[in-house]
Amino acid sequence: MDEKVIFFTNIIAPYRVNLFNNLEELRKGTRFDFEVYFMRRTESNRNWTINMEDLNFKYKIGNGFYLPVKNYFFHFNPNLLLKVIRSKKEIILGASWNNSNVLFLALLKSIGLIKNRLSVWSEANYLTKESQQKNKIRDKLRNWFFSKIDGNFIIPGKMSEISFEQWNIPTRNIILLPNLISNEIFGQTMGYNNDINKEPVLFIVARLEENIKGILNFIKAIGIDNIKKIQLNIAGTGRSLPDYISYIKENNLDGHIHFLGNLTQQAISSQYNQSNIFVLPSYSDPSPLTLVEAITSGLPVLVSERCGNHFEAVEEGKNGYTFDPFSPDDIKKKFEKMMNERNRWDDFSKNSKVLAKQRFNNEEVLKGFINFYLKEL
């Protein structure tokens, strides 16, 4: 069967392998088919160990020009672009709207050199650090790009809808496709352990980039006295680690804050099972998978309202709380509220699992995605 759509994205990541493998399995026996075109194997700040034999779907990997410039990654893959165009199939643009290959396809569409229908798979979040910075040229270019989308707007949830409204970008044919995780790894919980005789264990999984993830901001906001009442485990690596270590040593917090380094998905799952609360204090986070992992693992959550998928993953006072990462008072208030409600954490845990099942069930979400396309074929 010929492919009906092509996903065109930047690199191979574990969560994408999981999603496309599940999509491949569920599309069998239907008229829907797809192929994935990756611009490159990795990018300089996102480099996972992936067994290529685990990719059970049809794919191609480009080997074109690549240049990292600060936080921007320039890709140009002439051969891959030519294959996409010649396919004459619908192209689902899965990389960022400002990716050079993606903009090039939009340009070809605008001048009539390609007839492929263009759909976009976007985690639009107007509250990310980049989006909050004023830039008229960027805004005009972004709006021009989205005006060339004549297919579907594939989005993870409410934050994207709000963001398109904020940017005055008309949308059509919206398909909900939240970021999904491996239920085989994160769905096998051991049962929530809330031993009131032990210090509560809080867990953060994030890149150690303070200007994005706001970990030290969170620690300072809740205060040294509160830190000394908990165990805070942090998984991840990044440029801010030396600053974190200096602060911890200066304030004698070595026994309460622990850095675990980069962990495998299996090791992260194990940490979820050993923790009481998941924390994500990001200043900027489009739609973090870790929040989905945490609620799937049955953890109460305390997360920044800048996390795009908090609308779907957090119900205030039922499975946790959100806070304004730019308000130390709000951070401390929500932290202390959570700590004072330890007798409710078991219920919070149950509610997290319910939300995960209702809103992030791989099979139901992907079947809905396939059925949407089957109606269009």
Side-chain angles (χ1 to χ4, degrees), residues 129-139:
K129 183 181 177 184
E130 294 80 7
S131 295
Q132 290 286 292
Q133 295 171 347
K134 293 183 178 181
N135 188 321
K136 291 183 179 179
I137 294 175
R138 177 209 59 203
D139 293 348

Side-chain angles (χ1 to χ4, degrees), residues 7 15-28 30 32 34 121 154 175-184 358-374:
F7 290 91
Y15 58 92
R16 287 179 179 156
V17 173
N18 174 68
L19 183 147
F20 290 130
N21 279 345
N22 286 340
L23 188 61
E24 170 65 19
E25 191 63 31
L26 290 170
R27 70 99 199 159
K28 292 177 181 176
T30 75
F32 176 78
F34 72 97
W121 186 7
I154 303 167
I175 309 176
L176 290 178
L177 183 60
N179 285 340
L180 301 173
I181 62 171
S182 170
N183 288 331
E184 291 78 13
Q358 288 176 343
R359 300 172 182 177
F360 299 95
N361 181 281
N362 288 23
E363 185 171 345
E364 290 184 12
V365 169
L366 294 177
K367 279 184 177 179
F369 178 81
I370 291 169
N371 287 336
F372 186 99
Y373 268 92
L374 288 177

